[in-house]
Every structure is written in structure tokens, then in C-alpha cells.
Amino acid sequence: MRLHTFGGLRLENAERSAEVTPRPRALALLAILAVAGQKGVSREQLLGVLWPESDPDRARHALSQTLYSLRRDLNAQIVLSTPELRLDREQVTSDVGSFRDAVAERRWRDAAELYAGPFLDGFYLADAAEFERWVESERAAFTVDALRAIEIVATEDAAAGASEQSLDGWRRLTRFDPINSRVAASFMELLLARGDRAAALAHGKAHIELLRRELDTEPDAAIEQLMVRLRDVNGAPPSATAGRPARGDAPSAPLAPMAMTRDVPRSARRALRAAGVAAAIAVVALTVAFAWRTATTHSAAAQRVLAVGRIRDLVTPDSSTAGTVLSEMLATSLGRLHELQVVSNSRMLELSPRDGDTARTAFTEAARRAGATEILEGELIPLAGTQLRLAVRRVEITQGLVRGGYQATGNDRFALFDSVTMLIAADLRMNASGGTLADVSTRSQLAYRQYDDGLRAFYQFDSYAANRLFHSAIREDSMFAMATYYAWRSAVLVNAADQDSLAGRAVALAPRASDRDRLLILAHVGRSRLDPRAVAAADTLAMRYPNDPEALNRAADATNDLSRSVALLNRSIALDSAAGISPSLVCRICEAFNLLAARYEWADSAAAAERALKRWTVLRPEDSAPWLQLADHLVGVGKRAAAMLAQQRGESLGGKSSPLRELIWDLRTDNVDAVGQQCRVGLAGGNAEQYGTYRWYCVIGLRMQGRYRDALQLARDGQIPEAGTIRRGIPPDPVHSAILDLEMGRPLVAATGLATIGALGADSMRFGEGQRARANAWRFTLAATALVAGHDTIHARAMADSIEAVGRRSLYGRDPLLHHFIRGLLLASSKQPAPALQQFQAAVFSPTNGYTRINYETAKALLALNRPAEAIPVLRAALHGGIEGSGLYLTRTETHELLAQAFDAAGQRDSAAAHYANVERAWRASDPILQPRYEAARQWLLRAGRLRR
């Protein structure tokens, strides 16, 4: 069977060449599963999307009935009922699956042919608003990829001389994206090139009429210039006035070299559908050189982006920073206009050079880089008595033309900004929101001044000064939300003791901030506290502020969806790349690349992570950070020589090398001899903190060598191996002590110790609920792992239920999945490898940086089912992770041992020998408990002729 989702929704029985017609809700279910692919969708997610208004029991019954009706109508079980529901790809394929594969493999021509129209076009479900929201989100993503594919193919056809095919491609683009003036202009140019001037003119007229009728906006200047040229039969150049906007209050926005999406207003979408035109939910275009450019804007409001420049304070003219306070006040006040895009003051500070951010030209340049089309400038002027006048001008950035002027008079500064905001809203025909500037900021001018000075210090890398200033602002007004939020951010940077209390306070005050700032607080602080509610705030933030790199970074950081996170981060990088960020300024792009590479590494996409880090080195050639991170990444995938070169390059650019780097690299590359030598030196000297750090890694090294007794003496008593000396006054290491109890055959003792690790009681209010949930879900999982090893299945089963309940309350993607691992262990202990495998696979959050015992038990189940080839990549991924977390709960030597067995079972004896050699080298001096396993590895190598007797 074949599921078609582009241009509609239908299921086709290919064998019978007939269309199958399940019920609409069943078709919608199939569409969701097709988009999810092999990852599948949980029942809870499906209930929330397809039956959001039903009570849980009724919704579950409806889902069961839908699945039953599908089996009955199709006479086939096409939905696999694993822990997550997914389509059986052997029985049903989908155009969306084929499309995604084509895009991932850069087969643009295949992707262009597969796209038959907007995703689920015309399909509708009653009483399912969540489903409609999901459809629009997916439709936007598919539209982006489809338009990109079609344009690449059309461009390639043109280069190859296939003009007719190229013209057909551009014609498709105009049909799928009718309001994109750049696409319209390109299509008209092609028509003109083939001599069809009349058709080009007709298309231009239709495009202009569509924009004016449906979106109430004027065409791009390039379209008007092209129309003048088309009307001029002799080909004379257009007049000097051609291309100017017809109305002074709606200047055209210049195209910027960045990737972005713009939502068409809901009313415009309805109008376009009524007119029989396919509405584009998102527009992303590719130039001939494949550089991203901004899509044509869809309304006057979306077209205009305002920034606030210098508002001079003539009341206190001697103050050099007073004007920036007024700029911050106006930007915050304008942020209350939901229909208007306003560049935040923090973004302006990011883009302004040090010691030059009060100059008019610096403000204008920063606004241009931020993507603003207009900038507001003005003065606060003293009048007779206590009266003041706030005079503001709205200036078009490209031509410097004044588009509007606004004045308000009074004796209250905050009321003046409220009045000017109302005037601007009225001039731009926007609805002014209720409330006042003071409602979303502070009434204390001193607090505002200290907050503004704090922002300047924060974005000029003086975190300590910023923290002091933000705290001063809070002392003046304890209800100042944004001062509290930035006090938290700066407290994190300086590792202040009050960062947790500030986080909770910032969330509580979030409703007292503007819309953008409220969402920023909830998303950023919520993510740091692992609050699941942060996801909704982050999604809304990215949707409403698609040109704000910080909004995109926060949204990417909050989601556990790799593809969405990658798309958001790439858009953030494109925006900052287009802005031409100076290396001397705050590096938002660095944060985006850091997150992007980390996401790829967690997904075990090593090649993609390496590409991201190398892109970072190209865009920031003077930065050491990308080279140092590239070095660590290369070590993780076994490329130590290349890692050394990257490390040297990073150090040549000013990067610092950690004294522990060599030790960590030796651990990650199984160089146990070098680990022992470094530990003897590192444990002998240094202060208590340095000793504690070395002890952590050296215990891991001893465990890799199977020297459990030495490791336990070091972890509990501070006794340094070989030296025989004891380091006094250092508390024992409870984590390693409990893990060693488990490894040394004392699982029930280990369970008691593991149950207390990281415990955060409900009364620990300095932490958020998500943080408490994460700590508790994790310690329960470690304890339950030990309980199963000790055959206490009754308590382990009960603990699995607790893990499931607690894990749901954590935003950390690993925690809601952990209960599957314990359930898998219980099934494996009762000799049920097949259902155990399903649970283990459902427990995987990150194959590289997750709980590596999941990898280990998954591979054991696969070997029990005689599927060794599938076990190999699972175990390899565990070796690609770090040492601090993923390398802690399972030693690399144990992983090598099982990997050798998997390769041997798969008939790959050379690879098996390489991993057995690791085991033999590491466990030569292991404790008696490991000697039988060591001897098994040694005998294998002897039989294979890979080891001398």
C-alpha cells in the first residue's frame, strides 16, 4: 500500500490499483505515523493530537477502535503496536517517507517530483485543533524543503540548457508560493528570455493584484522595476522613480542573505484558499548560488521590522548612558504591540561595537544587521516647569527617509512612552495592547538605569559587573522581571550561590514582562530547571520571533526533536551570519554551533557533528573554541592524530588546554598504561579540588583495568594505588562506591547506595520540580538496575512504575524513557529476550551519551536472538560518548568484550580480534572476579593466532 500525503490525503492499494478509504480519523493517524517514521509515536501523543477534547478513557477507547477499524478495512496489520505505534514499512510506504529520504540524501530531483502540493492539503478533522496545529507545523517544514528542491532542480536545468524544464520548475514555484515576489520576478525573467513578454507582463499584473487584494501590501521594488522594463518595448532603463513604494508608510524590505520562514496570517490563508490559490505556510528560497535569502514578506506588518536607535536625553545631557536607557524603555514599550516586529534592545547591544554603542551610526548599523527596515530616533526635551516632550522619528534605514513623526508632552516619562507607543500603533494601523510600560518593566528610573548599565556590561563580557548592577536594580525594584532574569544569567556565569533562587524568582515574575521577554524567561529558565512547560514557551517564542537568534536558540535547546532543533539552530546561524557579527562582539552563533554539534553527537551522527564544527571554524576563524571542541569530538570517534592537530590549532588561537586533557583522551582511547602513569602523578599532588577531580577519572581508569579493589580503596578511603599513601580529609565518593559494589557482586548493597545518590526531596524548593524529577528518576533507575541484578524483582517492578511517573515530570529527554529499561531488565531476567529488546530500544534517548547499560543490555538481547550484526552499531555508539557520564556506569572494557563477541558471531573475526585485544591488554592484572572473562578473551586470541603464548 502507498500513503499519499502531499496535495491531499489518501491511501492506495498498489496491488489492486485502487484507493482505500479508511475513516478520516484513521487516515489522520496514518499520516502522523508516516511523518514519525521508524521513531514511532506514543499513544499519549496520539490521544492529545487526535482526541484532545475527550477524557482519557474515552480517547483510549477511540484509539483502539480506530486501530481495529484499520485492520478490518484493510485486512492487514499495517500499524505495529510496539511501545510506540509505527507503520509497518514492509506493508505500507508513504510519499512523505520517500520525500524525507530524498532530501536527506540530497536527491533534489526525486524530492521535487514527489512533492505534489501542500502537506494534507484540504484535509480537515472536526474538534481536533491540536491536529490542525500539527498539520500547519509539518506543512511549513515540508514546504521549505520542497521549494528548495524545486528551485535547485530548476536552476540545474537552466544551467544544463533545459530551458523548458527550468521554466516548468519556476512555474511550479509560482503556483506553490504565489506571494513570493522573488519567485515571481525570476519566472517573469525566464518568460522574457524566451521572448514571451506578454506572458511575463500578465504574470506580473496578476502577482501585484494578488498582493494588493489579499494581503493589502505593495509589491517588492524589484517587481515594479521589472514591470517598467517589460512595458518599455525598446528596453530602455526604468525611470529614476520606478520601484518606489506607492505609499510612504510601507517601504519594501531589502532581501537579506539568511534562511528564515514567515507565517502567512490566518485571514490571508483563508482568502487565498477562497481564491483557489495554494497558500504557502512558509517560504524559503534558494538563489542560483544556493545562498539562502529572505522570503518576500506577506503583509505590511510582517514586512516592517523596527529597531530603536538613540533616544537622546536632553534633560540630563551630561549623562552618556541616559539615552540608552530611553532606547530600552521605548523598545520594551513597543514590544507590547503583538503585530509589530521589534528588535530587542539586547540584540542591538549584541550587534553594537564596544565603546561605540552610543553613536548614531553604530545604532543604525546594528539595526541593519538585525534585519530592521526602519529605526526610531528622537529626543526627550525639557519644557517649562516640569513638563517634558518626547519626540520620535521613524526613519527608513536604506534611504534615510523619515516615514513618520510622533510627539507627546507630559511630566511622567513612563506615560510619555505609553503615549508615543499608542501613536505609532495608530499610524501603523495596529491594535494597541492594554497596560502600560511600567506593567512590563519598572517604575523606578534608577532601577532602569542600573538594568541598562547591567545589559551593557553583560554584552561586553563583564559578568561580575553585570551581576552587581542587576542586583542593584532588583534592590530598587524587587518586582523587575528582566533585571531578575539577567541577574540569574550573570549569576550562572560567575557561579553565584543565589542562581537557583533567582531562577525561581524570574519565573514567578515572568508575567510582569513583555510578551517576548516573558516567553524568553519561561523558555530559558524553564529549560535550565528541566520544566516540561518550557517547551510550549520555547515553541511560541520561535514562532512569534523568527528573526531573533536568541529565541531560536532557546527553542532549539528546549526541544528533544533532533530535526526541529537542527532547523532552528541553522536558522539562527544564518541570521547571525547575515548580520556579519564581529569577533569582538557577543557570539550568539557560537552558542548555536555548540548546541548543533552536541545534538548531532548525542544522535551518534559523527559526520554531521564534524561538519558543524568545521563550519564554525570557517565562520569564526579567529576563535579557539570550535577547534578545541573539534579536537574532543575527533578523540571520541577514534581520530586521535587529527584531534591533536585541531587541539594545536585551538591553542595557537589562544585556547587553553586542561591539565586533565591527556588523561581524559587516554581514557577515551583505551590507553590504560598511560592512564596509570598520569594518575600516579596527578593523585600525588594538587589541592583537594584537583585531587577530587583526578580521583574521579582515575577510579574509572582502575575499573577499566578490572582493578575493582584498588578502585574501591581509592574511592572510599583515599588510598592511592601503588604509592600506598592515603589522602586524608577528602570525603568518599558515593557514586563510584555504589557502582563498584555492583561490579564486585554485591548488587543489593549497591542498590541501597544508589537509591540515595542525587536525592532531592520535595522540600528542596531551591530546585525546580523538573530538576527534582530528573534526580529522582535517575537514582531510582540506578537502584532498580542493581535490584534486578540481585534478583529482587518485586521491588524493581514497583520502582519501574515510580520511574515512569516521576520521569514524565522532567524535560530531560532521557527521564520519561528510563522505566522501559527496567522493564526490559525484568523481561530479560525471565529469559524473554524478544520483548526485553523492545523495551530496551524504547528506552534509548541518546545512543552515545545516554545510560550505556541500555546499549549493553540491548546488545545482549540481540545476541540472544542471534542478531549480532544489529548489536554492533549499538555497542559502537556507546564507545563514542564521553567519560564523565556515559562512560561512568559501564566500563569501555566491558563494551569491547561484548563487541568482540558480536563481531565474532557475525563472522567478522578481524574486528573481533581488535576488540578482544583491548580486553586482554586492559584486564591482565584484573581482580579474580574478572579472570575467567580475561582468560576467555586470551584463549580466543591464541586460537586465532593473534597472541603469542
Side-chain angles (χ1 to χ4, degrees), residues 628-639:
L628 299 179
Q629 288 194 222
L630 178 60
D632 283 333
H633 167 76
L634 292 170
V635 165
V637 294
K639 300 178 180 178

Side-chain angles (χ1 to χ4, degrees), residues 90-264:
E90 294 184 0
Q91 297 198 61
V92 60
T93 60
S94 67
D95 57 356
V96 67
S98 302
F99 178 82
R100 278 189 162 171
D101 290 343
V103 170
E105 296 165 13
R106 305 179 75 83
R107 292 186 283 107
W108 302 117
R109 196 168 298 276
D110 291 342
E113 290 176 359
L114 283 163
Y115 188 76
F119 178 66
L120 268 55
D121 190 37
F123 183 82
Y124 174 76
L125 282 184
D127 303 322
E130 281 299 310
F131 177 74
E132 183 180 355
R133 185 191 67 79
W134 174 81
V135 169
E136 291 194 358
S137 174
E138 295 298 331
R139 185 178 292 157
F142 287 127
T143 301
V144 167
D145 287 335
L147 296 182
R148 181 187 184 194
I150 295 169
E151 186 166 353
I152 289 175
V153 171
T155 303
E156 289 177 348
D157 286 340
S163 58
E164 285 298 322
Q165 292 93 319
S166 178
L167 186 65
D168 287 343
W170 284 101
R171 184 179 287 109
R172 286 185 74 197
L173 286 170
T174 64
R175 187 169 71 252
F176 291 141
D177 192 2
I179 52 181
N180 187 334
S181 290
R182 191 190 61 80
V183 170
S186 298
F187 180 57
M188 292 161 65
E189 291 280 11
L190 280 174
L191 289 170
L192 181 60
R194 67 188 301 232
D196 201 343
R197 182 185 295 268
L201 266 172
H203 186 82
K205 289 178 182 177
H207 177 73
I208 292 171
E209 289 174 3
L210 178 66
L211 293 179
R212 288 172 174 166
R213 180 179 70 250
E214 306 297 352
L215 302 181
D216 190 28
T217 190
E218 292 301 314
D220 190 83
I223 289 286
E224 292 196 345
Q225 291 171 355
L226 181 54
M227 291 295 288
V228 170
R229 183 154 56 91
L230 287 168
R231 292 189 182 103
D232 186 353
V233 178
N234 295 320
S239 66
T241 59
R244 289 185 182 174
R247 292 178 295 196
D249 64 343
S252 297
L255 294 178
M258 62 186 75
M260 58 177 292
T261 60
R262 294 279 182 91
D263 284 339
V264 179

